[in-house]
Amino acid sequence: MRLKHLISPLDLTVDAVDDIIDLGLKIMENPEKYAHICEGKKLATLFYEPSTRTRLSFEAAMLNLGGQVLGFSSADSSSATKGESVADTIRVISSYADICAMRHPKEGAPMVASLYSSIPIINAGDGGHNHPTQTLTDLITIKKLMGRLNDITIGMCGDLKFGRTVHSLINALVRYKQIRFVLISPKELMIPDYLRKDVLEAGNIRHIETDDLESFLPIVDILYMTRVQRERFFNEEDYIRLKDSFILDAAKMQLAKEDMFVMHPLPRVNEIASEVDNDPRAVYFQQAKMGVYVRMALIMHLLALDTIPIS
Ligand code: NCD
């Protein structure tokens, strides 16, 4: 069987994404059925960059499947500080574990790892580039709440330049029908040129780029808020000037549709006032929970355990 990795959201066909989402929803309904499927298997989590949700949700996912986890949660506690390359690290880890989730501040590092690995590599976020498992989390949440992944107007607001979750989600959503994007950001934090030209314009995808949240809030089905990515700025002054460009509060929520959903990959900084948390349209904590089910489904898929009949 061909070794499969998940480096970009486009590594999975739309059918495979839909299957993983459906499996994730099945697991959610009946988690105990899947509690032993990964017995004897190990997941390595190699996190060269900080993370709370992504790392712990991967670990929770493997433990829920009956497997075990090992790994490190910062570059400082790995041999990277001694100058070891990602290629060498993964050659070794390949003999310690059955599957690996890797987060790295450098774009492309998980892809390099996949070239030297004999176990499946999952990109758990590479620099400002991609974050395919957050995308699966976002898609399963949308599917569960709206029952569909097409005919959606999605507002994406905040740091669209450095936000890898935004980049991956745009790439994934354009493969569905009738998706319309409202891209809300300060001028300095608009989507990268390659996304505008090679993905949105080339695919003839309806989109608007604006810095006016209030005017477009009434038309969106989903508002995907993101934080300004401080760690990717070259200077702190720019970050301070831009960090509070958009703050969603209860007053602004009154402008939105009654059946609109607010999503956020988390961590939230200031961009959503805590008063919004009690609004039933705020689904970001639910979204984080869905991330565990979809990662369980993904691990099963990459280990080819999703074809085993479960009674
Ligand atoms: C995101 C990330 O790491 O890109 N977080 C996450 O994985 N849930 C979003 C962010 O850090 O802003």
Side-chain angles (χ1 to χ4, degrees), residues 52-311:
T52 306
R53 260 154 306 276
T54 305
R55 184 172 60 82
L56 295 183
S57 67
F58 264 115
E59 297 190 356
M62 193 50 157
L63 295 172
N64 289 346
L65 292 168
Q68 290 168 302
V69 296
L70 66 164
F72 54 83
S73 55
S74 84
D76 301 349
S77 58
S78 80
S79 278
T81 53
K82 299 181 188 164
E84 184 171 58
S85 68
V86 160
D88 280 3
T89 305
I90 198 61
R91 279 188 180 114
V92 173
I93 302 294
S94 287
S95 61
Y96 296 168
D98 302 279
I99 185 164
C100 167
M102 175 184 286
R103 169 170 288 194
H104 204 286
K106 285 214 180 94
E107 283 85 2
M111 200 271 285
V112 171
S114 73
L115 301 176
Y116 296 90
S117 176
S118 55
I119 58 174
I121 300 289
I122 304 170
N123 176 5
D126 62 328
H129 196 211
N130 270 317
H131 194 347
T133 63
Q134 180 63 46
T135 299
L136 289 173
T137 302
D138 300 339
L139 296 178
I140 194 174
T141 306
I142 297 173
K143 183 79 188 284
K144 175 164 179 281
L145 295 170
M146 301 184 69
R148 62 175 197 273
L149 286 170
N150 48 29
D151 192 13
I152 294 168
T153 302
I154 179 165
M156 297 180 140
C157 178
D159 186 345
L160 310 187
K161 178 178 181 183
F162 296 116
R164 57 192 172 195
T165 65
V166 168
H167 305 160
S168 284
L169 186 55
I170 291 177
N171 269 310
L173 277 175
V174 296
R175 302 198 290 179
Y176 293 88
K177 295 200 171 65
Q178 289 173 274
I179 300 292
R180 298 162 292 271
F181 294 97
V182 181
L183 302 168
I184 308 154
S185 71
K187 284 234 153 17
E188 293 91 330
L189 299 179
M190 287 162 78
I191 52 164
D193 228 30
Y194 78 89
L195 270 179
R196 180 179 306 109
K197 294 217 168 81
D198 303 346
V199 180
L200 296 174
E201 289 173 6
N204 235 337
I205 310 291
R206 284 176 63 185
H207 65 283
I208 299 166
E209 292 187 72
T210 176
D211 60 4
D212 183 354
L213 172 60
E214 276 94 332
S215 297
F216 287 94
L217 202 43
I219 68 158
V220 300
D221 302 314
I222 296 169
L223 179 63
Y224 191 93
M225 292 296 293
T226 61
R227 79 182 164 96
V228 175
Q229 306 274 304
R230 180 182 203 158
E231 66 276 32
R232 313 224 186 274
F233 273 70
F234 293 111
N235 76 67
E236 184 74 3
E237 271 162 45
D238 285 348
Y239 168 72
I240 290 170
R241 185 167 51 81
L242 294 169
K243 72 183 172 67
D244 293 329
S245 301
F246 302 99
I247 298 181
L248 184 67
D249 56 17
K252 290 201 188 79
M253 285 296 282
Q254 290 195 2
L255 301 169
K257 292 187 195 174
E258 275 185 12
D259 59 354
M260 179 271 251
F261 293 111
V262 184
M263 297 176 63
H264 192 307
L266 303 176
R268 168 222 346 229
V269 187
N270 281 331
E271 58 282 354
I272 303 180
S274 54
E275 63 192 17
V276 176
D277 298 355
N278 294 328
D279 189 307
R281 294 170 292 181
V283 299
Y284 26 91
F285 294 115
Q286 230 175 298
Q287 183 185 352
K289 188 170 174 192
M290 297 306 293
V292 176
Y293 300 120
V294 87
R295 287 185 174 95
M296 289 169 76
L298 175 68
I299 291 170
M300 286 176 60
H301 177 81
L302 293 175
L303 291 177
L305 298 169
D306 53 344
T307 46
I308 295 177
I310 307 245
S311 55

Side-chain angles (χ1 to χ4, degrees), residues 9-30:
L10 303 181
D11 290 345
L12 296 166
T13 61
V14 176
D15 285 347
V17 170
D18 291 342
D19 286 350
I20 290 168
I21 289 172
D22 289 346
L23 178 58
L25 293 171
K26 269 199 215 152
I27 295 172
M28 184 187 79
E29 294 303 325
N30 221 331

